[in-house]
Amino acid sequence: MEKLYKLLSDTQASLFVLFQKTWVYHWHIVGPDFKQIHDLFGEQYLAIQEEVDRVAEHMRYLGAKPVSSLSRVIQVSGISEAKSNISEMEMIRDLMEGHKKIITMLSDAAIEAEEQKSRGTINLLDDLNEAHGKFVWMLRSFTEK
């Protein structure tokens, strides 16, 4: 179970950083698509915030402790912090890559959860995986002509 706890912990930390990055980018949107992208980022950061809590509470259910300090979150996260002074298209691409990384992390954790026969964990991870796939699709739609 230790491997599963580590995968969940790293995923929870990565979700937290993606939440914060999406929130920051939400503040910095400008231009003709402001309203649409601002609202999309707002919807996504709120959803990710709930996911962070779901993963942390599930870890507590399993008997593990979620990452708590910001320094540790940054240390174990697979997601980089928000970039400054980038265009809205660069923000979109950065967030899209973050969601793809989360999908990979969720898939890795689900494989381990299957080995541990942790059905609740598998269900949670599959649910989050589907949500992040939808986030990628929505963000990708802004990059296609």
Side-chain angles (χ1 to χ4, degrees):
M1 284 295 265
E2 289 302 315
K3 182 177 179 182
L4 179 58
Y5 295 161
K6 171 76 169 117
L7 290 167
L8 290 172
S9 179
D10 291 355
T11 300
Q12 179 244 350
S14 298
L15 283 167
F16 189 86
V17 173
L18 186 58
F19 154 74
Q20 193 271 345
K21 179 188 285 195
T22 307
W23 197 13
V24 167
Y25 288 171
H26 164 83
W27 298 331
H28 293 286
I29 288 296
V30 295
D33 295 325
F34 167 79
K35 176 76 170 132
Q36 194 173 12
I37 296 172
H38 180 79
D39 289 351
L40 176 65
F41 287 4
E43 292 167 12
Q44 288 188 358
Y45 82 70
L46 289 172
I48 299 166
Q49 181 184 27
E50 288 182 25
E51 292 175 354
V52 171
D53 195 52
R54 287 180 67 192
V55 172
E57 288 178 354
H58 187 75
M59 290 175 67
R60 295 300 296 163
Y61 159 75
L62 294 174
K65 290 186 178 179
V67 177
S68 300
S69 74
L70 288 176
S71 60
R72 183 70 178 147
V73 165
I74 296 299
Q75 187 178 32
V76 302
S77 175
I79 306 293
S80 63
E81 293 181 81
K83 299 172 184 172
S84 59
N85 300 320
I86 63 174
S87 70
E88 68 181 29
M89 198 53 61
E90 289 170 311
M91 290 179 201
I92 289 168
R93 286 190 181 101
D94 190 26
L95 291 177
M96 193 166 43
E97 290 308 311
H99 287 288
K100 288 178 182 179
K101 177 67 176 175
I102 292 292
I103 289 169
T104 299
M105 296 177 83
L106 293 166
S107 297
D108 292 346
I111 290 168
E112 183 61 26
E114 285 179 12
E115 287 188 25
Q116 300 296 327
K117 298 183 181 3
S118 181
R119 295 295 322 152
T121 305
I122 295 165
N123 291 337
L124 171 63
L125 297 171
D126 285 348
D127 184 41
L128 298 179
N129 196 329
E130 183 177 351
H132 286 272
K134 186 174 180 180
F135 292 157
V136 168
W137 160 61
M138 290 178 163
L139 293 166
R140 187 179 59 230
S141 71
F142 283 98
T143 67
E144 297 175 346
K145 297 290 176 200

